[in-house]
């Protein structure tokens, strides 16, 4: 499944300073659909190059990371259970900044 993943607010620094990634992710364990929980595991394994604890806490994103799926807050679409479709755009933005 082709997806576009975008990282902002400093999260791109965890991915070799690349903000936009066009990726191909297959559903896990023969599942018919890809959900956000599976995508987050894939991102941690394949894209995050350093300090994964700055992006994820357990199986989800850390508090302070805004997640948008096709410009819609994932809290409105089921969070970890959000079903992804071909060519979806998933954006991760850190809302935490130093002072």
């Amino acid at each position: 499944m082709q997806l576009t993943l975008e990282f902002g607010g400093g999260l791109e620094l965890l991915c070799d300073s690349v903000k936009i990634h066009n990726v191909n992710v297959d559903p896990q364990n023969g599942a018919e659909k890809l959900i956000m929980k599976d995508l987050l595991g894939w991102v941690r394994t394949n894209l995050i190059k350093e300090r994964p604890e700055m992006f994820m806490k357990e199986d989800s994103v850390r508090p302070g990371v805004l997640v948008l799926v096709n410009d819609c807050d994932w809290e409105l679409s089921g969070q970890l259970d959000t079903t992804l479709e071909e060519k979806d755009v998933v954006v991760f933005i850190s809302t935490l900044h130093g002072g």
Side-chain angles (χ1 to χ4, degrees):
M1 176 179 304
Q2 291 184 342
L3 302 170
T4 300
L5 307 180
E6 299 180 15
F7 296 85
L11 291 177
E12 67 277 5
L13 299 174
L14 305 178
C15 305
D16 286 339
S17 297
V18 178
K19 287 189 174 206
I20 298 175
H21 300 262
N22 294 306
V23 299
N24 193 0
V25 182
D26 295 321
Q28 299 205 341
N29 302 324
E32 293 181 18
K33 61 184 181 178
L34 179 67
I35 61 173
M36 279 297 297
K37 182 176 181 178
D38 297 333
L39 177 64
L40 290 175
W42 187 92
V43 167
R44 179 180 4 202
T45 302
N46 296 284
L47 290 183
I48 302 296
K49 302 298 182 191
E50 59 183 70
R51 301 185 67 187
E53 70 277 4
M54 298 300 293
F55 178 67
M56 293 186 67
K57 182 176 182 180
E58 298 174 8
D59 288 337
S60 190
V61 294
R62 289 194 63 77
V65 175
L66 177 65
V67 181
L68 304 174
V69 179
N70 299 323
D71 295 324
C72 179
D73 190 332
W74 80 326
E75 292 185 7
L76 302 175
S77 62
Q79 295 181 318
L80 291 174
D81 294 323
T82 300
T83 300
L84 298 168
E85 297 181 6
E86 190 77 24
K87 300 194 188 240
D88 275 353
V89 177
V90 182
V91 180
F92 302 97
I93 302 171
S94 175
T95 61
L96 305 175
H97 303 282

